[in-house]
Amino acid sequence: MNKNVNISIIGTGNVSWHLGHALVDAGYAINQVIGRNEVNTQSYAKAFNADPVYSVNDLDPSVDVVFICVSDDQVQQVEEDIPAFDGQIAHTSGSMPLHPKRENCNVFYPLQSFSKDVAVSFSSIPILLEGHSVEAVSLLREIAQNLSNNVYEVSTDQREKLHVAAVFANNFTNHLFEQAYNICVENNIPFDILHPLIQETAFKAIHANPADSQTGPASRNDQTVIEKHLSLITDKNQRTLYRVITDSILANNETKL
Amino acid sequence: MNKNVNISIIGTGNVSWHLGHALVDAGYAINQVIGRNEVNTQSYAKAFNADPVYSVNDLDPSVDVVFICVSDDQVQQVEEDIPAFDGQIAHTSGSMPLHPKRENCNVFYPLQSFSKDVAVSFSSIPILLEGHSVEAVSLLREIAQNLSNNVYEVSTDQREKLHVAAVFANNFTNHLFEQAYNICVENNIPFDILHPLIQETAFKAIHANPADSQTGPASRNDQTVIEKHLSLITDKNQRTLYRVITDSILANNETKL
């Protein structure tokens, strides 16, 4: 394990938490955790055996890589606020571009939905890299490959599109699982009944083109069941979701004809 | 294994295919496969070592249970067309009620999305029962428990609501996986990159309340990313889906405040 690479982390959110742990587990030394929130910064620094620092101006300039793990809208500002130093910077955001001007800015995007309380195994998480120089990408690839078996180099354009796809595949599907959960709870039905179906849905999406696994009233244009379902749904938002997604599936059917 | 229960199946679709195989695997004898399509009926009958029959009027009246595996809109007609006999009838539809009048009509609903080409393990599939009599439910429960470890008795109301929930949890999420797939393909990105995320999404939905796992631009009301994503989406349907589901997540956030 290459412990000669010295790493600092900016930010104290979910990505920082999971990335920091993965780096420590892989044998990397974390030099500093840099955050504005004193309590969080101290707690993260303690967890990673690092020094807590409260401003990017106090960055130790001897560090090899600084990971920026802040919310998307703060990424560029943080990139520009970091004082000049000889190491590399990498932000961890799916939707932010490669900084156009600062040459040592790069991207190291672990594509996963992180919740602080849920442990993740980094080894299967795809890590998407982008950099200004061959040297920077090579250094980041080495780190990434020590954390994960799925390391890709993708352009800003591809990463941005992938982030949109990830919103569909994760955020939006989770929101639909939440609707299913609520319908069960409201009708005294154990949500466990739907667990095998949820597992099967994910299994099929991974093992076949999802278009080939589409079933249900909309895919067979069964207007009787669609109307019945709409009459059973009392929540306004749920009815809108049902209508719009059904229409989208129906439109798909037509395209396929 | 109770091989004294004699079973026939009406219909030659996906449910018939998988239920028939599960029954045979559990040691049940299939007496007749009844269908209008001669080729399918013969092929299914052969697979189940049963006799092919082309009209419900030719039902062998000595049979103990007849499973109706036809499309939802044909269920009630088939229930009424079956000649009087001493056994039990069970339809396998999530959205159709218990027949209000015919006393030997019941419900045996395996809650799963069946595709003919994808093998399923029936043992984890929930089977939802409803019947007019204790005796009928008891007979169906015995069969169900020989196929699955998850057998429930639920009312028509609950089953109908559960079917709506299943549409959200399976049909609709699969449609969103399809959007993610299409975005990847259009941008020369291997869909494999999203597999771990899809698995994690399902894993979290099963191990926690989905509301607690919601992440993404809408859940943190990040209008910059939302607007950016909308500008990146070229497909009209995809944009509508993105907008409506985002609005629904935003409305949820407000309720939680």
Side-chain angles (χ1 to χ4, degrees):
Chain A
M1 207 55 68
N2 195 337
K3 300 189 186 185
N4 296 325
V5 178
N6 222 311
I7 293 172
S8 287
I9 296 178
I10 300 174
T12 56
N14 291 333
V15 175
S16 166
W17 182 253
H18 289 287
L19 178 59
H21 277 288
L23 288 166
V24 170
D25 290 348
Y28 286 102
I30 311 285
N31 182 337
Q32 298 177 320
V33 172
I34 305 168
R36 281 182 305 204
N37 179 305
E38 219 169 291
V39 174
N40 283 357
T41 306
Q42 282 173 7
S43 133
Y44 278 52
K46 195 174 171 192
F48 304 153
N49 196 24
D51 293 325
V53 171
Y54 308 104
S55 160
V56 292
N57 293 319
D58 295 327
L59 175 78
D60 176 347
S62 75
V63 85
D64 299 297
V65 180
V66 179
F67 286 108
I68 299 177
C69 307
V70 302
S71 61
D72 293 356
D73 54 353
Q74 292 172 40
V75 165
Q76 201 176 344
Q77 192 60 54
V78 171
E79 287 178 318
E80 289 166 12
D81 286 346
I82 295 174
F85 76 117
D86 289 336
Q88 297 293 335
I89 298 167
H91 81 61
T92 54
S93 158
S95 64
M96 296 304 293
L98 184 65
H99 194 285
K101 290 184 188 154
R102 195 163 176 177
E103 287 292 324
N104 66 339
C105 277
N106 307 277
V107 184
F108 184 104
Y109 169 46
L111 198 169
Q112 188 53 276
S113 160
F114 296 103
S115 313
K116 195 176 172 192
D117 299 337
V118 182
V120 292
S121 158
F122 240 84
S123 62
S124 64
I125 294 179
I127 298 178
L128 313 184
L129 306 177
E130 188 181 10
H132 278 293
S133 68
V134 175
E135 293 73 27
V137 172
S138 162
L139 173 62
L140 293 173
R141 184 183 295 116
E142 184 194 310
I143 299 172
Q145 285 175 339
N146 280 325
L147 306 187
S148 165
N149 303 315
N150 296 316
V151 179
Y152 302 84
E153 198 177 339
V154 301
S155 68
T156 290
D157 275 2
Q158 284 178 312
R159 183 162 34 78
E160 286 175 344
K161 294 288 175 63
L162 199 49
H163 191 236
V164 177
V167 167
F168 276 94
N170 169 265
N171 305 156
F172 289 176
T173 56
N174 186 71
H175 185 62
L176 299 183
F177 289 143
E178 184 181 342
Q179 308 314 312
Y181 179 94
N182 292 342
I183 292 169
C184 286
V185 169
E186 281 157 20
N187 293 283
N188 296 316
I189 302 161
F191 185 56
D192 303 22
I193 294 187
L194 289 178
H195 287 177
L197 184 68
I198 289 171
Q199 279 174 313
E200 183 73 6
T201 309
F203 179 86
K204 281 188 184 169
I206 286 170
H207 291 90
N209 179 341
D212 296 334
S213 313
Q214 190 65 51
T215 59
S219 82
R220 58 177 190 271
N221 195 9
D222 187 335
Q223 290 295 337
T224 314
V225 172
I226 291 169
E227 285 309 317
K228 182 168 183 180
H229 281 180
L230 284 168
S231 77
L232 288 171
I233 298 172
T234 49
D235 179 82
K236 191 169 154 275
N237 260 344
Q238 268 173 13
R239 200 155 46 229
T240 306
L241 289 170
Y242 191 102
R243 230 183 254 284
V244 168
I245 303 174
T246 291
D247 285 347
S248 177
I249 296 172
L250 291 171
N252 243 9
N253 294 345
E254 278 170 30
T255 319
K256 283 177 197 162
L257 285 179
Chain B
M1 209 54 67
N2 195 336
K3 300 189 186 184
N4 296 325
V5 179
N6 222 311
I7 293 171
S8 286
I9 296 178
I10 301 175
T12 55
N14 290 334
V15 175
S16 166
W17 182 253
H18 289 287
L19 178 60
H21 277 287
L23 288 166
V24 170
D25 290 347
Y28 286 102
I30 311 285
N31 184 334
Q32 297 177 320
V33 172
I34 305 168
R36 282 181 305 202
N37 180 305
E38 219 169 290
V39 175
N40 284 356
T41 305
Q42 282 174 7
S43 135
Y44 279 51
K46 195 173 171 195
F48 304 154
N49 197 23
D51 292 326
V53 170
Y54 309 104
S55 159
V56 291
N57 294 317
D58 296 326
L59 175 78
D60 178 347
S62 75
V63 84
D64 299 296
V65 180
V66 179
F67 287 108
I68 300 178
C69 308
V70 301
S71 61
D72 294 355
D73 55 352
Q74 292 173 41
V75 165
Q76 201 175 343
Q77 192 58 53
V78 171
E79 286 178 319
E80 289 165 12
D81 287 346
I82 295 174
F85 76 115
D86 289 337
Q88 298 294 336
I89 298 167
H91 80 61
T92 53
S93 158
S95 64
M96 295 305 294
L98 184 66
H99 194 286
K101 291 185 188 149
R102 193 161 178 178
E103 288 291 325
N104 65 340
C105 278
N106 308 277
V107 184
F108 184 104
Y109 169 46
L111 198 170
Q112 188 54 275
S113 161
F114 296 103
S115 313
K116 195 175 172 193
D117 299 336
V118 182
V120 291
S121 158
F122 240 84
S123 62
S124 64
I125 294 178
I127 298 178
L128 312 184
L129 305 177
E130 188 180 10
H132 277 292
S133 68
V134 175
E135 294 72 25
V137 171
S138 163
L139 174 61
L140 292 174
R141 185 183 294 115
E142 184 194 309
I143 299 173
Q145 286 175 339
N146 280 325
L147 305 187
S148 165
N149 303 314
N150 296 316
V151 179
Y152 302 84
E153 199 176 340
V154 301
S155 68
T156 290
D157 275 1
Q158 285 178 312
R159 184 164 32 79
E160 286 175 344
K161 293 288 175 64
L162 199 48
H163 192 235
V164 177
V167 167
F168 276 95
N170 170 264
N171 304 156
F172 289 177
T173 56
N174 187 69
H175 185 61
L176 299 184
F177 289 142
E178 185 181 342
Q179 307 314 312
Y181 179 93
N182 292 342
I183 292 169
C184 286
V185 169
E186 282 157 20
N187 294 282
N188 296 316
I189 301 161
F191 185 54
D192 303 23
I193 293 188
L194 289 179
H195 287 177
L197 184 69
I198 289 171
Q199 278 175 313
E200 181 73 6
T201 309
F203 179 87
K204 281 188 184 170
I206 286 169
H207 291 90
N209 178 341
D212 297 335
S213 314
Q214 190 65 52
T215 58
S219 82
R220 57 176 191 271
N221 194 9
D222 187 335
Q223 290 295 337
T224 314
V225 172
I226 292 169
E227 285 309 316
K228 183 171 182 176
H229 282 180
L230 285 167
S231 76
L232 288 170
I233 298 172
T234 50
D235 180 81
K236 190 168 154 278
N237 261 343
Q238 269 172 12
R239 203 156 44 229
T240 306
L241 290 170
Y242 192 101
R243 230 184 254 285
V244 168
I245 303 175
T246 291
D247 284 348
S248 177
I249 296 172
L250 290 172
N252 243 7
N253 294 345
E254 279 169 29
T255 319
K256 283 178 195 162
L257 285 180

